[in-house]
Amino acid sequence: MPYFSLEDINNLQHLYKINLINSCSGFKSANLIGTKSKEGIENVAVFSSVTHVGSNPPILSFFCRPTTVTRDTYKNIKETGIYTINHIHESNFKEAHHTSAKYYSDISEFDKTNLISEYKENCFAPFVKHSPIQMEMKFVGEYNIKENGTILVLGEIQGLYINEDIVTDDGFVNLSEANVAAINGLDGYTFPKLKERLEYQRPK
């Protein structure tokens, strides 16, 4: 089994190192975060860092890269306080991945892809149409990670839309039935299938 010391990792070719470190942690969530600027320009971007923080209150987090350059998703969230999280479906993962391209702030990724924005109730930010799981989020806090300049953004679920055929009687959301993506590294998309749900474990 090959071994990489920290010194080895630091001396790796840049792209090789990025791919290695981004993929060694395991499969990650694949989501589109939808926002809208105060000027009314829609933005949608792919993120692979959405994580459950707690259920009461229902809080999810995601990481934003350092704001040494303009980050439209972060900027819009800080200015409006509202965003959406949408799972990436198998039918549009290539279009979703294209939202990682760097467009100017006055250009909407919805206009550069086949992704379609839609609005529900009184939510200011756009959802991604045809996403089987859509969440309206409210910004509630952030933490600066001093070690690398990233920002951990926390949001509370304000509304949750889920295709009814993927929710079981006990509230479990079967992502396999929804055909939603997971991401391996930065650009590897996979569509996992549920093998088995195991019972709550107690000491033997």
Side-chain angles (χ1 to χ4, degrees), residues 30-32 84-92 115-116 118 120 127-135 161-163 166 178-180:
N31 301 106
L32 288 165
T84 70
I85 297 176
N86 309 266
H87 280 258
I88 295 173
H89 188 263
E90 188 172 14
S91 64
N92 63 9
L115 300 173
I116 302 170
E118 68 173 347
K120 299 184 177 185
F127 294 92
V128 178
K129 193 170 186 177
H130 304 308
S131 174
I133 304 167
Q134 306 169 332
M135 292 167 273
Y161 300 92
I162 306 180
N163 287 356
I166 64 174
N179 292 324
V180 298

Side-chain angles (χ1 to χ4, degrees), residues 14-101:
H14 180 67
L15 183 58
Y16 187 98
K17 177 169 63 176
I18 288 176
N19 284 330
L20 182 71
I21 300 305
N22 268 284
S23 56
C24 71
S25 62
F27 292 120
K28 299 173 287 187
S29 62
N31 301 106
L32 288 165
I33 293 183
T35 62
K36 188 166 65 174
S37 69
K38 292 190 303 183
E39 294 74 30
I41 299 171
E42 296 177 333
N43 177 273
V44 63
V46 60
F47 280 80
S48 61
S49 60
V50 173
T51 306
H52 166 87
V53 176
S55 299
N56 187 26
I59 292 179
L60 303 178
S61 68
F62 73 92
F63 280 99
C64 179
R65 288 184 291 176
T67 54
T68 50
V69 299
T70 301
R71 305 289 183 191
D72 291 322
T73 297
Y74 177 74
K75 175 177 176 288
N76 292 345
I77 290 173
K78 290 301 297 286
E79 289 182 350
T80 69
I82 300 295
Y83 59 104
T84 70
I85 297 176
N86 309 266
H87 280 258
I88 295 173
H89 188 263
E90 188 172 14
S91 64
N92 63 9
F93 74 97
K94 291 182 180 180
E95 296 294 299
H97 184 70
H98 184 69
T99 64
S100 62

Side-chain angles (χ1 to χ4, degrees), residues 4 33 60 88 92 94 104 123-124 135 137 152 158-159 161 170 191 204:
F4 297 86
I33 293 183
L60 303 178
I88 295 173
N92 63 9
K94 291 182 180 180
Y104 290 113
C123 182
F124 177 78
M135 292 167 273
M137 306 297 299
L152 180 65
Q158 303 297 293
Y161 300 92
D170 66 351
F191 300 88
K204 295 181 179 179

Side-chain angles (χ1 to χ4, degrees), residues 109-127:
E109 291 80 4
F110 283 112
D111 294 332
K112 297 298 181 178
T113 65
N114 291 330
L115 300 173
I116 302 170
S117 67
E118 68 173 347
Y119 290 85
K120 299 184 177 185
E121 301 299 328
N122 295 315
C123 182
F124 177 78
F127 294 92

